[in-house]
């Protein structure tokens, strides 16, 4: 007994024979603190509506009767419905052959890097951006290149083209709207980066549209036309209010969908997940109604923060980056002391708040108004 305790105490991760590049690293994760108002993880604040909960129960019960069997390995019905959703809302016709789904878009991105990245290969992202891109690169043994952005957090196209030409990466990430800044990317920028990436390698260009439903702009999906090395990745975690479901998907040329089959685990998407996602897709219109409310709340946060005297980055997402603080972490702590949890993403001078319910947003605005008074005092 005491021997076991001794062993538990003295052996740490770095004492294990793990891969060299993992030594000294920390896992991804926002602090999960038990405070009244949690606006730190870009979740949708609205629980799923009761009629949808009932439909999930029905669909899952049906799936449960067949759980002695492996699920549909190719998720045909789900991919068909996701393609229908994209065609309806994305401004570009997409069919099942263009769509692939996995457990969250993080898994989709991991499968893409397992297929197109890996040891001896590199990926580039324009930072600050979604930190999991770099972490998934590390996890798959893909070298990471941090590309530049402008002061206002838009992509500096010429510098980005030059970085792509210089490094000739195998995978290029473009996040639109970008996390944590909220910045959308213009179609012309993606086209220029795609052309630069094809001239340099050719490489795969992944447009991460996790937040696109909240954008003032249209999806970049129509860019798939005639660009076989372009991928658009999406998720049901944000607009569909289903972060707990773990369902992400991509749209691309059918050859890309065939390529990720080489690395996906067999039966990776459980029958329960497929049934739940199909139920949620039946309620698309109701869920997109909540998105409209959240967009209005996001715009209100931007306007009110500016009125209080904060700088705010233009946001096309369900969150807002605000600042500037001489010490962002201290400001984060002071907002937390007032019962509101926002996110310190490590962007010097800036914090990020997720749009919550009107009441949650009011609590946040009260907290930052007080903070501003304190700063001005
Ligand atoms: C830009 C971006 N992409 C992808 C994801 C991952 O989403 P999920 O794995 O829940 O689909 C997130 C989550 O916050 C994100 O911010």
């Amino acid at each position: 007994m005491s021997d076991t305790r001794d062993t538990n105490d003295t052996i740490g991760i770095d004492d294990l024979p793990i891969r060299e590049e993992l030594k000294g690293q920390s896992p991804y994760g926002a602090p999960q603190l038990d405070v009244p108002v949690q606006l730190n993880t870009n979740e949708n604040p609205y629980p799923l509506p009761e009629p949808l909960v009932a439909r999930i129960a029905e669909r899952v019960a049906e799936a449960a009767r067949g759980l002695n069997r492996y699920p549909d390995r190719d998720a045909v019905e789900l991919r068909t419905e996701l393609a229908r959703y994209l065609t309806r809302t994305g401004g570009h016709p997409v069919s099942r052959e263009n769509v692939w789904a996995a457990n969250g878009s993080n898994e989709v991105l991991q499968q893409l890097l397992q297929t197109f990245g890996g040891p001896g290969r590199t990926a580039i992202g324009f930072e600050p951006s979604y930190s999991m891109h770099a972490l998934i690169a590390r996890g798959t043994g893909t070298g990471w290149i941090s590309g530049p952005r402008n002061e206002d957090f838009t992509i500096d196209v010429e510098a980005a083209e030059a970085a792509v030409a210089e490094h000739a990466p195998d995978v290029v990430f473009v996040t639109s709207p970008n996390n944590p800044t909220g910045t959308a990317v213009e179609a012309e920028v993606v086209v220029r980066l795609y052309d630069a990436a094809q001239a340099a390698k050719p490489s795969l260009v992944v447009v991460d549209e996790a937040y696109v439903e909240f954008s003032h702009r249209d999806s970049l999906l129509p860019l798939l036309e005639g660009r076989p090395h372009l991928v658009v990745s999406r998720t049901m975690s944000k607009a569909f209010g289903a972060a707990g479901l773990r369902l992400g998907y991509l749209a691309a040329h059918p050859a890309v969908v065939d390529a990720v089959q080489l690395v996906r685990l067999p039966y990776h998407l459980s029958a329960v997940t497929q049934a739940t996602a199909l139920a949620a897709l039946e309620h698309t219109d109701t869920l997109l109604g909540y998105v409209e409310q959240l967009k209005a709340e996001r715009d209100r946060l931007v306007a009110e923060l500016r009125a209080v005297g904060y700088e705010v980055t233009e946001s096309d997402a369900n969150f807002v980056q605000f600042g500037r603080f001489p010490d962002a972490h201290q400001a984060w702590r002071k907002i937390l002391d007032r019962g509101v949890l926002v996110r310190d993403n490590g962007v010097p001078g800036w914090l990020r708040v997720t749009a919550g319910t009107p009441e949650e947003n009011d609590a946040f605005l009260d907290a930052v108004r007080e903070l501003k008074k304190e700063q001005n005092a």
Side-chain angles (χ1 to χ4, degrees):
M1 174 78 185
S2 69
D3 283 347
T4 315
R5 200 172 320 122
D6 285 351
T7 310
N8 285 348
D9 286 349
T10 53
I11 303 272
I13 294 177
D14 290 345
D15 301 310
L16 298 172
I18 63 171
R19 285 160 43 198
E20 262 330 296
E21 67 270 29
L22 298 180
K23 290 200 170 150
Q25 303 284 353
S26 340
Y28 174 88
Q32 291 188 308
L33 305 176
D34 191 16
V35 291
V37 180
Q38 300 186 4
L39 300 175
N40 66 328
T41 50
N42 296 347
E43 290 155 331
N44 190 314
Y46 295 109
L48 297 180
E50 276 309 312
L52 170 52
V53 172
R55 183 64 183 133
I56 290 173
E58 250 172 51
R59 280 245 189 201
V60 168
E62 209 176 297
R65 292 186 190 103
L67 282 183
N68 55 314
R69 303 284 177 196
Y70 283 112
D72 175 6
R73 194 173 50 203
D74 298 324
V76 171
E77 189 185 359
L78 177 58
R79 285 164 58 210
T80 305
E81 290 309 315
L82 288 168
R84 198 196 303 275
Y85 168 70
L86 288 177
T87 301
R88 224 190 89 195
T89 58
H92 181 66
V94 170
S95 70
R96 165 172 44 96
E97 290 74 25
N98 300 109
V99 174
W100 180 243
N103 296 285
S105 53
N106 282 332
E107 189 181 51
V108 170
L109 300 176
Q110 185 179 50
Q111 291 178 345
L112 287 170
L113 281 179
Q114 285 175 324
T115 313
F116 295 91
R121 292 185 162 220
T122 57
I124 190 169
F126 304 97
E127 296 186 313
S129 190
Y130 181 45
S131 58
M132 277 306 297
H133 294 159
L135 289 182
I136 298 171
R138 185 179 77 196
T140 56
T142 312
W144 180 252
I145 300 156
S146 179
R149 268 183 196 264
N150 289 313
E151 266 286 291
D152 66 357
F153 299 108
T154 55
I155 292 182
D156 178 341
V157 197
E158 264 136 45
E161 280 174 330
V164 167
E166 183 192 340
H167 298 286
D170 299 277
V171 179
V172 178
F173 283 105
V174 181
T175 312
S176 184
N178 187 44
N179 179 13
T181 62
T183 324
V185 181
E186 283 169 27
E188 190 213 321
V189 172
V190 178
V191 169
R192 283 179 60 176
L193 286 176
Y194 184 87
D195 291 345
Q198 302 320 298
K201 197 79 186 193
S203 39
L204 192 78
V205 176
V206 180
V207 177
D208 184 338
E209 281 200 334
Y211 300 97
V212 75
E213 286 92 343
F214 300 97
S215 183
H216 298 103
R217 299 176 199 214
D218 293 338
S219 166
L220 296 166
L221 208 60
L223 296 182
L224 289 179
E225 189 65 45
R227 293 187 183 82
H229 297 164
L230 190 73
V231 177
V232 174
S233 83
R234 294 283 198 96
T235 180
M236 293 183 77
S237 296
K238 314 292 176 181
F240 281 82
L245 163 63
R246 309 308 300 130
L247 199 289
Y249 54 104
L250 65 75
H253 190 283
V256 173
V257 174
D258 289 345
V260 293
Q261 310 303 308
L262 300 172
V263 300
R264 60 114 180 88
L265 293 174
Y267 315 111
H268 68 299
L269 212 49
S270 85
V272 171
T273 299
Q274 294 186 42
T276 309
L278 280 163
L281 282 159
E282 288 177 20
H283 287 246
T284 298
D285 290 339
T286 313
L287 297 172
L288 291 184
Y290 293 145
V291 168
E292 287 309 311
Q293 291 178 37
L294 286 167
K295 284 169 75 171
E297 279 299 301
R298 179 265 325 274
D299 291 341
R300 179 169 80 94
L301 283 175
V302 170
E304 299 265 342
L305 280 163
R306 285 192 176 139
V308 179
Y310 288 102
E311 271 185 67
V312 179
T313 313
E314 284 310 327
S315 175
D316 276 273
N318 66 336
F319 53 84
V320 176
Q321 180 178 258
F322 65 105
R324 300 184 182 198
F325 301 100
D327 181 344
H329 197 71
Q330 190 190 51
W332 174 85
R333 163 66 55 196
K334 288 187 167 175
I335 297 170
L336 182 62
D337 289 343
R338 291 169 168 91
V340 182
L341 179 60
V342 297
R343 186 72 172 266
D344 175 8
N345 286 90
V347 184
W350 298 87
L351 295 174
R352 188 194 72 192
V353 60
T354 306
T357 61
E359 298 71 31
E360 288 172 331
N361 297 335
D362 285 343
F364 161 73
L365 287 167
D366 285 346
V368 290
R369 274 190 205 104
E370 279 177 33
L371 182 63
K372 195 73 184 175
K373 271 194 214 140
E374 195 181 296
Q375 281 178 331
N376 292 341

